[in-house]
Amino acid sequence: IIGGNDIYTTMLLLLKASQHLMPLAKSAARTDSGAFMKNRASANFEYFVVLAGVVLAIVTEFKSGSPSLWYVLWAALPYGIYALAAMKAGTGATVGGGLLILGIDMLIRVQVAFSPGSSTDSIALLIMPFWQIVVIMPMGFLLGWLVEKMINRFTNQQTSRG
């Protein structure tokens, strides 16, 4: 149903959409004191990550010869867990987790679809959701949280000096 060019086109559209959302995520509502807070921009970024991940899973599955609803649900599971975790996380963690989970997912899918190294490379698509949940997403949340803390510390130092 969907050819090889369609997954490439979908990924390009997702990247183009992310270029429009990145300024929103970057400026994800800084208050006058420089502290980050959850707002509409970070919520929109969260929705974008979930939607892009689910669309990516569906398109990749339809590209295969025999689409399976169970695989789509398995591939979308990390994005559902991300949405739940991002509800409680701060802006930095939400952005960090989203960028890492979606970025690595896109990277693996592009590599498997367009330049597989061997016939067993597609196994990565089966085990990727597990690694996204257990390693990649927590690492992204942690890195995003650390970056947020560093930015807050830097802005607080600048505010106290000025």
Side-chain angles (χ1 to χ4, degrees), residues 8-153:
Y8 178 73
T9 305
T10 302
M11 288 183 184
L12 284 177
L13 288 173
L14 290 173
L15 286 172
K16 199 145 199 70
S18 70
Q19 289 173 347
H20 294 291
L21 285 174
M22 284 312 293
L24 293 175
K26 267 182 167 173
S27 67
R30 293 170 129 322
T31 59
D32 289 337
S33 66
F36 279 80
M37 58 182 277
K38 283 290 251 194
N39 70 357
R40 176 168 271 156
S42 64
N44 286 343
F45 182 77
E46 178 185 332
Y47 298 142
F48 167 75
V49 168
V50 172
L51 180 65
V54 170
V55 166
L56 194 59
I58 290 170
V59 168
T60 304
E61 184 57 19
F62 277 111
K63 184 190 178 299
S64 74
S66 56
S68 165
L69 175 65
W70 294 111
Y71 172 76
V72 170
L73 293 174
W74 171 242
L77 180 65
Y79 295 98
I81 293 173
Y82 165 77
L84 292 174
M87 285 181 194
K88 296 288 185 183
T91 300
T94 300
V95 171
L99 287 176
L100 207 57
I101 192 174
L102 185 60
I104 290 179
D105 196 13
M106 289 175 70
L107 180 73
I108 295 294
R109 290 178 190 279
V110 166
Q111 182 178 352
V112 168
F114 296 111
S115 62
S118 71
S119 61
T120 58
D121 275 0
S122 61
I123 293 174
L125 295 177
L126 293 175
I127 61 171
M128 191 62 193
F130 172 77
W131 290 110
Q132 283 176 307
I133 294 167
V134 174
V135 176
I136 296 168
M137 187 179 1
M139 189 184 315
F141 276 116
L142 178 64
L143 290 173
W145 178 78
L146 289 172
V147 167
E148 179 182 0
K149 291 297 177 194
M150 288 175 24
I151 290 172
N152 284 339
R153 179 175 292 161

